């Protein structure tokens, strides 16, 4: 008779067999669960910072400046905070370089998207601008890798 895995507790039934109590098996803490909690923490911290930056943006006049305090800086700060706590400053350096490359690619996307959308339409212009973003982001990744 095969023994059940160590982390699963068998419960004997009246018919003489046993069934596995999967609720007990789900309570274990392993590398996958700790990674899930880091992701949940990152999302919660990002959400809190997005709300804080949204409040700052609402208080500013004129409203054109509110875009400066949009979600991207808040999510970047939350991600960087969790990264430095979880993995240390060396990993934060690498992540920050990736964020810079992504920001440059986003600026390139925005710069070409407006004229392309006006010239060839929304769908085609957006797809062409997305290709520009991919090229610039790939070049940035190649430079920092």
């Amino acid at each position: 008779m095969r023994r059940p895995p160590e982390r699963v507790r068998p419960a004997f039934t009246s018919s003489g067999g046993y069934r596995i109590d999967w609720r007990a098996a789900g309570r274990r803490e392993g590398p996958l669960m700790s990674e899930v909690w880091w992701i949940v923490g990152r999302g919660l911290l990002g959400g809190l910072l997005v709300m804080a930056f949204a409040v700052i943006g609402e208080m500013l006049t004129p409203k054109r400046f509110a875009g400066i305090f949009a979600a991207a800086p808040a999510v970047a700060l939350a991600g960087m905070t969790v990264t430095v706590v979880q993995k240390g400053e060396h990993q934060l350096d690498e992540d920050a370089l990736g964020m810079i490359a992504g920001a440059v690619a986003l600026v390139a996307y925005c710069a070409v998207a407006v004229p392309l959308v006006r010239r060839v339409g929304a769908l085609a212009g957006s797809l062409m601008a997305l290709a520009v973003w991919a090229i610039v982001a790939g070049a940035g990744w190649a430079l920092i890798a």
Side-chain angles (χ1 to χ4, degrees), residues 16-100:
Y18 67 90
R19 64 178 172 79
I20 296 174
D21 184 8
W22 292 107
R23 292 174 301 202
R27 282 181 278 202
R28 68 179 191 272
E29 180 72 23
L32 178 63
M33 287 305 293
S34 65
E35 191 68 27
V36 167
W37 283 115
W38 277 109
I39 292 169
V40 168
R42 214 175 206 171
L44 289 175
L45 184 59
L48 288 173
L49 285 173
V50 166
M51 288 189 313
F53 276 87
V55 168
I56 292 170
E58 283 296 317
M59 294 187 317
L60 290 176
T61 55
K63 290 298 179 189
R64 288 177 288 195
F65 293 126
I68 295 171
F69 295 98
V75 173
L77 286 174
M80 291 170 70
T81 302
V82 172
T83 299
V84 78
V85 168
Q86 183 183 14
K87 297 180 182 173
E89 292 178 14
H90 176 70
Q91 184 65 38
L92 181 63
D93 292 343
E94 293 176 6
D95 286 1
L97 285 173
M99 288 179 193
I100 292 169

Side-chain angles (χ1 to χ4, degrees), residues 1 10-19:
M1 180 176 192
F12 291 98
T13 63
S14 60
S15 62
Y18 67 90
R19 64 178 172 79

